[in-house]
Amino acid sequence: MTTAAVGGIVGREAEAAELAARLAAARAGSGGLVLVSGPAGIGKTALVEALAAGAGVPVVRGRAWDGGAPPLWPWQPLLDVLGDGAGAGDPQATAATAAATAADAAALRFARLQRLATAVLERGPAAGPLLVLEDLHQADALSLDLLRAVTARAAGSALLVVATHRDVP
């Protein structure tokens, strides 16, 4: 993808080139995370949409919402594609967590996040090697923890996560 493929974005040529380079690196097996930040209305979504439109690869999009959405809502479109094998809705894990001590619950939560991260990294790129997470500033704690777990190991994957967020005080 060339910078021209992210055309129509005025004054953001450097950012467009960086996004294009990061997507090319991910497609070559060196994935990662790019955060696009700024105040409301500055064009974060437009920049990411231009990348997605010119990417030439499947794109999976999720959006955080602070209006009572369930945990992992921004990840749900990708988890839906991955199916039950991702372990997001494992009823046994939920029951075990409810019956566990605090330390056990923390260990189970960590293990669940690692299972989800593994599924996202190993199977996610087949669904869409570009994962766009919008409005990360509104994301729940579990979504942010999954983002940390995924990006900690993303360098050796073919997945690029591009997340937008507002600068908040």
Side-chain angles (χ1 to χ4, degrees), residues 33-97:
L33 168 69
V34 175
L35 295 174
V36 180
S37 65
I42 197 137
K44 299 177 296 294
T45 297
L47 179 64
V48 173
E49 286 298 318
L51 172 71
V57 297
V59 179
V60 178
R61 292 176 176 85
R63 179 176 299 277
W65 183 56
D66 67 354
L72 296 175
W73 186 253
W75 294 89
Q76 203 56 55
L78 180 58
L79 296 176
D80 286 347
V81 171
L82 297 180
D84 291 336
D90 183 353
Q92 290 178 336
T94 303
T97 301

Side-chain angles (χ1 to χ4, degrees), residues 68-146:
L72 296 175
W73 186 253
W75 294 89
Q76 203 56 55
L78 180 58
L79 296 176
D80 286 347
V81 171
L82 297 180
D84 291 336
D90 183 353
Q92 290 178 336
T94 303
T97 301
T101 66
D104 290 339
L108 288 170
R109 184 177 187 274
F110 178 82
R112 177 182 180 213
L113 282 170
Q114 293 307 309
R115 276 194 317 276
L116 284 170
T118 297
V120 165
L121 290 166
E122 290 179 355
R123 298 186 358 242
L130 176 58
L131 172 61
V132 175
L133 300 174
E134 290 274 359
D135 297 328
L136 210 55
H137 57 280
Q138 296 180 336
D140 60 281
L142 192 57
S143 290
L144 296 176
D145 287 345
L146 180 55

